[in-house]
Protein backbone atom coordinates (compact mmCIF):
# COMPACT_ATOMS: atom_id res chain seq x y z
CA UNK A 1 0.00 0.00 0.00
CA UNK A 2 1.14 3.51 -0.80
CA UNK A 3 0.82 6.94 0.72
CA UNK A 4 -1.74 7.64 -2.01
CA UNK A 5 -3.87 4.67 -0.89
CA UNK A 6 -3.72 5.80 2.72
CA UNK A 7 -4.43 9.50 2.26
CA UNK A 8 -6.91 8.96 -0.55
CA UNK A 9 -9.05 6.22 0.98
CA UNK A 10 -7.82 4.03 3.85
CA UNK A 11 -7.63 6.79 6.45
CA UNK A 12 -11.17 7.82 5.56
CA UNK A 13 -12.35 4.21 5.81
CA UNK A 14 -10.98 4.00 9.33
CA UNK A 15 -12.23 7.40 10.49
CA UNK A 16 -15.75 7.40 9.03
CA UNK A 17 -16.75 4.73 6.50
CA UNK A 18 -16.58 1.72 8.80
CA UNK A 19 -19.13 3.37 11.13
CA UNK A 20 -21.74 4.55 8.63
CA UNK A 21 -22.87 1.24 7.11
CA UNK A 22 -22.47 -2.52 7.28
CA UNK A 23 -19.10 -2.20 5.57
CA UNK A 24 -16.90 -4.95 4.12
CA UNK A 25 -13.20 -4.51 3.38
CA UNK A 26 -11.71 -7.29 1.28
CA UNK A 27 -8.11 -8.08 0.34
CA UNK A 28 -8.68 -9.14 -3.26
CA UNK A 29 -5.97 -11.75 -3.68
CA UNK A 30 -7.77 -13.58 -6.50
CA UNK A 31 -7.47 -10.45 -8.63
CA UNK A 32 -3.69 -10.57 -8.19
CA UNK A 33 -3.60 -13.81 -10.17
CA UNK A 34 -4.65 -12.14 -13.44
CA UNK A 35 -1.01 -11.33 -14.24
CA UNK A 36 2.36 -13.05 -13.84
CA UNK A 37 3.09 -13.33 -10.11
CA UNK A 38 5.22 -15.01 -7.47
CA UNK A 39 2.97 -17.15 -5.21
CA UNK A 40 5.03 -16.44 -2.09
CA UNK A 41 4.87 -12.71 -2.77
CA UNK A 42 1.09 -12.81 -3.21
CA UNK A 43 0.74 -14.51 0.19
CA UNK A 44 3.13 -12.05 1.83
CA UNK A 45 1.51 -8.94 0.37
CA UNK A 46 -2.01 -10.20 1.10
CA UNK A 47 -1.11 -10.59 4.75
CA UNK A 48 0.68 -7.24 4.73
CA UNK A 49 -2.35 -5.49 3.24
CA UNK A 50 -4.68 -7.00 5.85
CA UNK A 51 -2.27 -6.03 8.64
CA UNK A 52 -2.04 -2.47 7.35
CA UNK A 53 -5.83 -2.15 7.19
CA UNK A 54 -5.97 -3.23 10.82
CA UNK A 55 -3.06 -0.93 11.76
CA UNK A 56 -4.82 1.99 10.06
CA UNK A 57 -7.75 1.56 12.43
CA UNK A 58 -10.28 -0.77 10.81
CA UNK A 59 -12.00 -2.37 13.78
CA UNK A 60 -13.33 -5.92 13.32
CA UNK A 61 -16.02 -5.09 15.88
CA UNK A 62 -17.30 -2.39 13.51
CA UNK A 63 -16.71 -3.85 10.04
CA UNK A 64 -15.81 -7.03 8.21
CA UNK A 65 -12.18 -7.48 7.15
CA UNK A 66 -11.38 -10.63 5.19
CA UNK A 67 -9.41 -12.16 2.32
CA UNK A 68 -11.29 -12.80 -0.91
CA UNK A 69 -10.04 -16.36 -1.47
CA UNK A 70 -11.19 -17.37 2.04
CA UNK A 71 -14.82 -17.02 0.90
CA UNK A 72 -15.65 -19.54 -1.84
CA UNK A 73 -18.79 -17.65 -2.86
CA UNK A 74 -16.71 -15.15 -4.85
CA UNK A 75 -15.49 -17.84 -7.24
CA UNK A 76 -18.83 -19.71 -7.22
CA UNK A 77 -20.78 -16.64 -8.26
CA UNK A 78 -18.16 -15.46 -10.73
CA UNK A 79 -18.80 -18.44 -13.00
CA UNK A 80 -22.56 -17.82 -13.05
CA UNK A 81 -21.91 -14.22 -14.00
CA UNK A 82 -19.52 -15.33 -16.76
CA UNK A 83 -22.52 -17.27 -18.09
CA UNK A 84 -24.49 -14.01 -18.01
CA UNK A 85 -21.88 -11.63 -19.47
CA UNK A 86 -20.91 -11.41 -23.13
CA UNK A 87 -17.48 -11.53 -24.71
CA UNK A 88 -18.00 -8.15 -26.34
CA UNK A 89 -18.85 -6.21 -23.20
CA UNK A 90 -15.84 -7.64 -21.36
CA UNK A 91 -13.48 -6.76 -24.21
CA UNK A 92 -14.77 -3.17 -24.07
CA UNK A 93 -13.62 -2.73 -20.47
CA UNK A 94 -11.03 0.05 -20.45
CA UNK A 95 -8.64 -1.60 -17.98
CA UNK A 96 -8.64 -4.84 -19.96
CA UNK A 97 -7.92 -3.02 -23.22
CA UNK A 98 -5.09 -1.00 -21.67
CA UNK A 99 -3.41 -3.93 -19.90
CA UNK A 100 -3.86 -6.29 -22.83
CA UNK A 101 -2.31 -3.74 -25.19
CA UNK A 102 0.65 -3.26 -22.84
CA UNK A 103 1.20 -7.01 -22.50
CA UNK A 104 0.98 -7.64 -26.24
CA UNK A 105 3.39 -4.76 -26.94
CA UNK A 106 5.86 -6.44 -24.60
CA UNK A 107 5.43 -9.76 -26.41
CA UNK A 108 3.58 -11.32 -23.50
CA UNK A 109 0.47 -13.45 -23.55
CA UNK A 110 -2.70 -12.28 -21.82
CA UNK A 111 -4.39 -14.50 -19.26
CA UNK A 112 -8.07 -15.26 -19.72
CA UNK A 113 -8.60 -14.17 -16.12
CA UNK A 114 -7.63 -10.63 -17.13
CA UNK A 115 -10.62 -10.61 -19.49
CA UNK A 116 -12.97 -12.01 -16.84
CA UNK A 117 -11.53 -9.84 -14.04
CA UNK A 118 -14.51 -7.47 -14.24
CA UNK A 119 -16.94 -10.36 -13.76
CA UNK A 120 -15.14 -11.47 -10.61
CA UNK A 121 -15.36 -7.88 -9.38
CA UNK A 122 -19.11 -7.98 -10.05
CA UNK A 123 -19.33 -11.18 -7.98
CA UNK A 124 -17.45 -9.43 -5.17
CA UNK A 125 -20.26 -6.88 -5.06
CA UNK A 126 -23.42 -8.87 -5.86
CA UNK A 127 -22.68 -11.70 -3.43
CA UNK A 128 -23.29 -9.37 -0.51
CA UNK A 129 -26.44 -7.61 -1.67
CA UNK A 130 -24.50 -4.35 -1.62
CA UNK A 131 -26.56 -1.19 -2.02
CA UNK A 132 -23.61 1.15 -2.52
CA UNK A 133 -20.16 0.68 -3.99
CA UNK A 134 -17.79 3.60 -3.28
CA UNK A 135 -15.46 3.89 -6.28
CA UNK A 136 -13.17 6.30 -8.02
CA UNK A 137 -13.75 7.37 -11.61
CA UNK A 138 -11.45 4.64 -12.93
CA UNK A 139 -13.73 1.92 -11.49
CA UNK A 140 -17.11 3.39 -12.45
CA UNK A 141 -17.25 1.26 -15.61
CA UNK A 142 -16.95 -1.90 -13.52
CA UNK A 143 -19.93 -0.91 -11.39
CA UNK A 144 -21.95 -0.21 -14.53
CA UNK A 145 -21.14 -3.73 -15.76
CA UNK A 146 -22.15 -5.10 -12.34
CA UNK A 147 -25.49 -3.32 -12.60
CA UNK A 148 -26.04 -4.62 -16.14
CA UNK A 149 -25.30 -8.20 -15.09
CA UNK A 150 -27.58 -7.98 -12.06
CA UNK A 151 -30.47 -6.61 -14.14
CA UNK A 152 -29.94 -9.19 -16.91
CA UNK A 153 -29.78 -12.09 -14.43
CA UNK A 154 -32.89 -10.86 -12.60
CA UNK A 155 -34.83 -10.53 -15.86
CA UNK A 156 -33.85 -13.96 -17.15
CA UNK A 157 -34.02 -16.05 -13.99
CA UNK A 158 -36.11 -14.11 -11.47
CA UNK A 159 -35.21 -11.43 -8.98
CA UNK A 160 -32.02 -12.55 -7.21
CA UNK A 161 -29.62 -9.62 -6.86
CA UNK A 162 -29.78 -6.14 -5.46
CA UNK A 163 -28.82 -3.73 -8.23
CA UNK A 164 -26.12 -1.57 -6.60
CA UNK A 165 -25.31 2.02 -7.32
CA UNK A 166 -21.88 3.57 -7.56
CA UNK A 167 -21.15 6.34 -5.09
CA UNK A 168 -18.28 8.73 -5.50
CA UNK A 169 -17.12 9.82 -2.07
CA UNK A 170 -15.02 12.93 -1.88
CA UNK A 171 -11.41 11.84 -2.20
CA UNK A 172 -9.70 12.72 1.06
CA UNK A 173 -6.48 13.59 -0.77
CA UNK A 174 -5.21 13.17 -4.31
CA UNK A 175 -1.60 12.05 -4.24
CA UNK A 176 0.40 11.82 -7.45
CA UNK A 177 3.67 10.06 -8.24
CA UNK A 178 6.56 12.15 -6.93
CA UNK A 179 8.54 11.55 -10.13
CA UNK A 180 5.56 11.87 -12.50
CA UNK A 181 3.18 14.34 -10.84
CA UNK A 182 0.57 14.08 -13.57
CA UNK A 183 0.11 10.35 -12.80
CA UNK A 184 -1.54 8.80 -9.77
CA UNK A 185 0.74 7.22 -7.15
CA UNK A 186 -0.07 3.59 -7.97
CA UNK A 187 0.78 0.24 -6.41
CA UNK A 188 1.72 -1.51 -9.64
CA UNK A 189 4.04 0.97 -11.34
CA UNK A 190 7.35 -0.51 -12.44
CA UNK A 191 9.27 2.64 -11.48
CA UNK A 192 9.08 3.06 -7.70
CA UNK A 193 11.27 6.13 -7.05
CA UNK A 194 8.20 8.36 -6.91
CA UNK A 195 6.08 6.05 -4.75
CA UNK A 196 6.07 6.26 -0.96
CA UNK A 197 5.08 2.92 0.53
CA UNK A 198 3.51 2.87 3.98
CA UNK A 199 6.28 0.65 5.34
CA UNK A 200 9.19 2.62 3.85
CA UNK A 201 11.81 3.52 6.44
CA UNK A 202 11.83 7.22 7.45
CA UNK A 203 15.10 7.90 5.62
CA UNK A 204 13.70 6.32 2.47
CA UNK A 205 10.60 8.51 2.72
CA UNK A 206 12.73 11.63 3.16
CA UNK A 207 14.92 10.74 0.19
CA UNK A 208 11.95 10.13 -2.11
CA UNK A 209 10.23 13.38 -1.14
CA UNK A 210 13.41 15.45 -1.35
CA UNK A 211 14.00 14.08 -4.87
CA UNK A 212 10.45 14.85 -5.99
CA UNK A 213 10.09 16.47 -9.41
CA UNK A 214 9.16 20.15 -9.19
CA UNK A 215 8.50 22.70 -11.93
CA UNK A 216 10.33 25.43 -13.77
CA UNK A 217 10.43 28.73 -11.94
CA UNK A 218 11.06 29.44 -8.28
CA UNK A 219 7.78 30.68 -6.85
CA UNK A 220 5.78 28.28 -4.70
CA UNK A 221 2.26 28.43 -6.11
CA UNK A 222 -0.67 26.03 -5.97
CA UNK A 223 -1.64 25.39 -9.58
CA UNK A 224 -2.42 21.80 -10.56
CA UNK A 225 -2.29 22.50 -14.28
CA UNK A 226 0.74 24.76 -14.60
CA UNK A 227 2.75 23.58 -11.55
CA UNK A 228 1.80 19.90 -10.95
CA UNK A 229 5.00 19.00 -9.08
CA UNK A 230 4.70 21.78 -6.52
CA UNK A 231 0.93 21.30 -6.26
CA UNK A 232 1.47 17.63 -5.45
CA UNK A 233 3.88 18.45 -2.62
CA UNK A 234 1.42 21.02 -1.26
CA UNK A 235 -1.40 18.47 -1.45
CA UNK A 236 0.67 15.93 0.48
CA UNK A 237 1.66 18.45 3.14
CA UNK A 238 -1.93 19.68 3.45
CA UNK A 239 -3.32 16.16 3.80
CA UNK A 240 -0.77 15.29 6.47
CA UNK A 241 -1.32 18.45 8.52
CA UNK A 242 -5.01 19.17 7.99
CA UNK A 243 -4.29 22.43 6.18
CA UNK A 244 -5.29 23.94 2.83
CA UNK A 245 -2.69 23.75 0.03
CA UNK A 246 -3.38 27.30 -1.19
CA UNK A 247 -2.76 28.71 2.28
CA UNK A 248 0.41 26.66 2.72
CA UNK A 249 1.86 27.93 -0.56
CA UNK A 250 1.97 31.47 0.77
CA UNK A 251 4.34 30.43 3.55
CA UNK A 252 7.16 29.14 1.32
CA UNK A 253 9.81 31.00 -0.60
CA UNK A 254 11.67 27.95 -1.93
CA UNK A 255 11.04 24.43 -3.15
CA UNK A 256 13.66 23.05 -0.77
CA UNK A 257 11.85 24.25 2.35
CA UNK A 258 8.57 22.86 1.06
CA UNK A 259 10.12 19.48 0.34
CA UNK A 260 11.73 19.30 3.75
CA UNK A 261 8.48 20.06 5.57
CA UNK A 262 6.50 17.69 3.37
CA UNK A 263 9.01 14.89 4.01
CA UNK A 264 8.87 15.36 7.79
CA UNK A 265 5.08 15.55 7.74
CA UNK A 266 4.86 12.22 5.89
CA UNK A 267 7.34 10.58 8.26
CA UNK A 268 5.34 11.73 11.29
CA UNK A 269 2.04 10.70 9.74
CA UNK A 270 3.29 7.18 9.08
CA UNK A 271 5.14 6.76 12.39
CA UNK A 272 2.15 5.48 14.45
CA UNK A 273 0.93 3.34 11.55
CA UNK A 274 4.33 1.67 11.25
CA UNK A 275 4.49 1.15 15.02
CA UNK A 276 1.03 -0.44 15.11
CA UNK A 277 1.95 -2.63 12.11
CA UNK A 278 5.02 -3.87 14.00
CA UNK A 279 2.88 -4.70 17.06
CA UNK A 280 0.45 -6.68 14.95
CA UNK A 281 3.27 -8.56 13.21
CA UNK A 282 4.57 -9.56 16.64
CA UNK A 283 1.19 -11.17 17.38
CA UNK A 284 0.31 -13.04 14.17
CA UNK A 285 -2.46 -14.92 15.95
CA UNK A 286 -4.46 -11.70 16.24
CA UNK A 287 -4.61 -11.18 12.48
CA UNK A 288 -5.37 -14.87 11.93
CA UNK A 289 -8.42 -14.50 14.21
CA UNK A 290 -9.55 -11.27 12.53
CA UNK A 291 -9.37 -12.84 9.06
CA UNK A 292 -10.97 -16.11 10.16
CA UNK A 293 -13.86 -14.30 11.88
CA UNK A 294 -14.19 -11.87 8.99
CA UNK A 295 -14.37 -14.68 6.44
CA UNK A 296 -17.00 -16.49 8.51
CA UNK A 297 -19.10 -13.33 8.72
CA UNK A 298 -18.70 -12.63 4.99
CA UNK A 299 -19.53 -16.24 4.12
CA UNK A 300 -22.71 -16.11 6.19
CA UNK A 301 -23.78 -12.98 4.28
CA UNK A 302 -22.86 -14.24 0.81
CA UNK A 303 -23.86 -17.91 0.85
CA UNK A 304 -27.67 -17.41 0.86
CA UNK A 305 -27.39 -15.00 -2.07
CA UNK A 306 -25.16 -17.29 -4.12
CA UNK A 307 -27.22 -20.38 -3.28
CA UNK A 308 -30.29 -18.51 -4.50
CA UNK A 309 -28.49 -17.65 -7.74
CA UNK A 310 -27.57 -21.32 -8.26
CA UNK A 311 -31.21 -22.32 -7.86
CA UNK A 312 -32.44 -19.52 -10.08
CA UNK A 313 -30.14 -20.35 -13.00
CA UNK A 314 -31.25 -23.98 -12.98
CA UNK A 315 -28.63 -25.96 -11.05
CA UNK A 316 -29.70 -28.92 -8.93
CA UNK A 317 -29.24 -28.32 -5.20
CA UNK A 318 -26.72 -30.54 -3.43
CA UNK A 319 -28.29 -33.38 -1.46
Amino acid sequence: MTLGNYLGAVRQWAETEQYRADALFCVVDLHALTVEHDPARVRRLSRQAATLLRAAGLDPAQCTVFVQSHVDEHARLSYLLECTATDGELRRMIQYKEKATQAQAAGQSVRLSLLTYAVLMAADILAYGADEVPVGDNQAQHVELTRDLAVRFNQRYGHTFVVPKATHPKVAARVMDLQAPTSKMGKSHEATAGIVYLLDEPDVVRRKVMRAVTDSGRDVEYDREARPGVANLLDVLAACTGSEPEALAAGYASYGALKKDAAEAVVELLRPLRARHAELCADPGHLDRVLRDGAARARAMARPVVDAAYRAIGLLPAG
Side-chain angles (χ1 to χ4, degrees):
M1 284 191 188
T2 71
L3 179 67
N5 299 139
Y6 182 67
L7 292 178
V10 175
R11 184 169 65 172
Q12 190 166 296
W13 295 347
E15 292 176 353
T16 60
E17 295 297 327
Q18 67 173 327
Y19 301 106
R20 62 172 290 269
D22 191 358
L24 297 98
F25 299 95
C26 177
V27 178
V28 287
D29 56 344
L30 294 176
H31 289 295
L33 309 185
T34 59
V35 295
E36 190 67 32
H37 63 276
D38 171 19
R41 186 170 183 266
V42 171
R43 284 190 290 270
R44 177 174 61 82
L45 292 182
S46 296
R47 189 173 186 86
Q48 183 185 97
T51 306
L52 282 168
L53 290 176
R54 185 74 185 92
L58 289 186
D59 182 354
Q62 294 290 339
C63 63
T64 303
V65 180
F66 66 105
V67 175
Q68 183 185 29
S69 64
H70 292 180
V71 180
D72 292 345
E73 279 62 33
H74 291 257
R76 289 181 63 208
L77 181 55
S78 184
Y79 181 72
L80 298 196
L81 296 178
E82 286 181 18
C83 296
T84 308
T86 67
D87 175 78
E89 63 190 343
L90 295 185
R91 291 188 186 278
R92 287 193 296 271
M93 301 302 289
I94 293 170
Q95 289 201 5
Y96 169 74
K97 290 196 293 187
E98 290 178 348
K99 291 183 178 180
T101 299
Q102 291 170 1
Q104 289 163 354
Q108 300 171 349
S109 60
V110 177
R111 297 187 179 191
L112 179 61
S113 56
L114 186 61
L115 178 65
T116 59
Y117 159 88
V119 175
L120 178 56
M121 183 178 288
D124 297 338
I125 297 166
L126 296 179
Y128 297 98
D131 297 295
E132 296 183 9
V133 188
V135 291
D137 292 339
N138 64 327
Q139 295 292 346
Q141 188 186 30
H142 288 120
V143 180
E144 284 306 308
L145 175 68
T146 301
R147 288 172 54 84
D148 291 343
L149 295 179
V151 169
R152 190 179 306 155
F153 192 100
N154 289 346
Q155 289 174 343
R156 288 179 180 174
Y157 309 115
H159 184 78
T160 306
F161 298 119
V162 173
V163 180
K165 65 177 181 180
T167 58
H168 302 280
K170 182 178 182 296
V171 176
R174 185 183 179 197
V175 181
M176 313 302 277
D177 190 297
L178 295 173
Q179 292 297 315
T182 57
S183 300
K184 180 176 76 169
M185 186 180 285
K187 295 190 293 289
S188 57
H189 293 182
E190 291 185 9
T192 61
I195 302 173
V196 174
Y197 295 99
L198 298 186
L199 296 179
D200 277 347
E201 294 290 340
D203 285 347
V204 173
V205 173
R206 292 187 183 97
R207 183 166 64 250
K208 288 180 177 179
V209 177
M210 293 303 294
R211 292 178 179 176
V213 168
T214 48
D215 312 289
S216 59
R218 296 182 179 180
D219 295 334
V220 178
E221 298 175 352
Y222 186 73
D223 186 334
R224 277 187 176 278
E225 297 300 322
R227 314 290 288 278
V230 172
N232 190 37
L233 289 169
L234 289 166
D235 279 333
V236 168
L237 180 58
C240 290
T241 59
S243 307
E244 292 297 327
E246 295 88 347
L248 288 171
Y252 289 95
S254 71
Y255 294 163
L258 172 60
K259 287 182 175 183
K260 183 177 179 181
D261 285 356
E264 292 306 317
V266 173
V267 168
E268 290 308 312
L269 177 78
L270 297 184
R271 192 181 303 281
L273 180 71
R274 287 168 45 80
R276 178 61 175 144
H277 178 269
E279 291 174 5
L280 290 167
C281 287
D283 181 15
H286 171 79
L287 185 69
D288 291 339
R289 290 190 296 273
V290 168
L291 296 180
R292 183 173 58 248
D293 293 347
R297 194 183 314 164
R299 200 176 298 119
M301 295 172 67
R303 182 161 293 171
V305 177
V306 178
D307 284 349
Y310 268 59
R311 291 192 299 271
I313 207 170
L315 298 176
L316 277 175

